[in-house]
Amino acid sequence: MSGRRRAAGNPLALAVLAYLMERPMHPYELGKLLKQRDKNNSIRYRHASLYMVVEQLHRDGSIEAQETVRDGQRPERTVYRLTDAGRAELRERMRELVSVPVKEYPQFEAALALIIVLPPDEVAELLRQRHDALTERAEQLRTFVREATDSADVDGLFLIEHDYRLELIDAERRFLDRFRERILAGDPDFGRFWRQLHQDRQAR
């Protein structure tokens, strides 16, 4: 399997294969399920890209057509099911994603690497704004999890990515607090060249 390009090489393809483990479905039903389970916050996708991924998985033999159905006056829809090869591919890829850390390149990390271009006082204010935005996002996530748990008998496993996201937000907020405090404290051993650079620019 390692000698060919993986069909399940992106998160949306993995989601399709994972959902087809539950039962055979047509692409429209898969899209509804992604929306109902709020997976658009974890998996980037568009309606058109979902159909493209389904076609690719079908070509690669990871899924196969089970039947064609018609619901009233709506167009015919092809119901797909997972193949043995697709199930093996899904599990292999998932084992890799869970066990092997991969270096990612978040935009905020890139901004931190170049933070010297902005004056320290401005950075302190921008960090406060980011902290406020993250606090609002965390509250929205907690509300979603609480409502999902209260409105139905939802297994916590299906909300686990939200728990992970909340942990990341909380960790980032702590970092923002520490970074901002170091800027405002004027520690002579922290950001000396940074402050001097912008003082010289203001003086010119």
Side-chain angles (χ1 to χ4, degrees):
M1 218 173 282
S2 59
R4 65 175 176 84
R5 182 174 177 270
R6 287 177 168 178
N10 66 74
L12 181 55
L14 286 173
V16 170
L17 295 178
Y19 285 178
L20 290 180
M21 277 190 68
E22 298 180 23
R23 66 181 187 277
M25 285 181 259
H26 50 70
Y28 179 76
E29 190 176 5
L30 287 165
K32 284 181 61 179
L33 204 54
L34 282 163
K35 185 175 182 180
Q36 289 171 1
R37 295 182 179 177
D38 197 39
K39 297 307 178 189
N40 58 308
N41 281 314
S42 304
I43 300 170
R44 184 181 302 176
Y45 75 94
R46 297 188 306 274
H47 183 74
S49 60
L50 174 61
Y51 281 82
M52 291 174 59
V53 163
V54 168
E55 290 178 8
Q56 180 186 357
L57 291 169
H58 185 228
R59 287 196 305 270
D60 291 346
S62 297
I63 63 176
E64 62 186 7
Q66 174 176 283
E67 60 180 333
T68 301
V69 297
R70 181 188 293 274
D71 184 9
Q73 299 299 316
R74 293 178 179 175
E76 289 185 342
R77 290 175 175 156
T78 302
V79 175
Y80 293 93
R81 64 187 173 198
L82 192 62
T83 64
D84 289 342
R87 183 175 289 102
E89 179 81 2
L90 171 63
R91 288 176 173 166
E92 178 188 354
R93 181 67 174 135
M94 284 296 298
R95 289 185 184 108
E96 180 182 340
L97 289 174
V98 173
S99 64
V100 182
V102 175
K103 170 61 182 172
E104 299 176 0
Y105 296 89
Q107 291 185 2
F108 183 53
E109 186 175 333
L112 290 172
L114 305 171
I115 202 68
I116 196 171
V117 305
L118 296 174
D121 290 345
E122 182 180 356
V123 169
E125 172 58 20
L126 294 171
L127 294 175
R128 184 196 63 76
Q129 294 176 21
R130 184 179 183 91
H131 189 285
D132 290 348
L134 287 173
T135 299
E136 182 178 352
R137 186 180 302 175
E139 183 56 36
Q140 291 171 349
L141 270 174
R142 289 191 175 94
T143 298
F144 173 81
V145 170
R146 184 169 57 251
E147 291 177 350
T149 304
D150 293 345
S151 63
D153 185 19
V154 177
D155 189 320
L157 177 64
F158 295 110
L159 299 171
I160 196 66
E161 75 270 26
H162 299 298
D163 290 342
Y164 174 69
R165 195 176 303 121
L166 281 167
E167 291 287 344
L168 292 180
I169 289 175
D170 288 343
E172 183 174 333
R173 289 166 64 200
R174 290 192 296 271
F175 166 80
L176 294 173
D177 285 338
R178 290 196 302 271
F179 187 16
R180 189 165 183 269
E181 286 172 5
R182 296 184 77 180
I183 295 172
L184 296 177
D187 182 352
D189 294 324
F190 179 78
R192 182 183 305 169
F193 174 75
W194 183 23
R195 288 192 297 271
Q196 189 62 50
L197 174 67
H198 289 280
Q199 288 170 1
D200 290 347
R201 286 180 177 174
Q202 289 174 355
R204 285 199 294 266

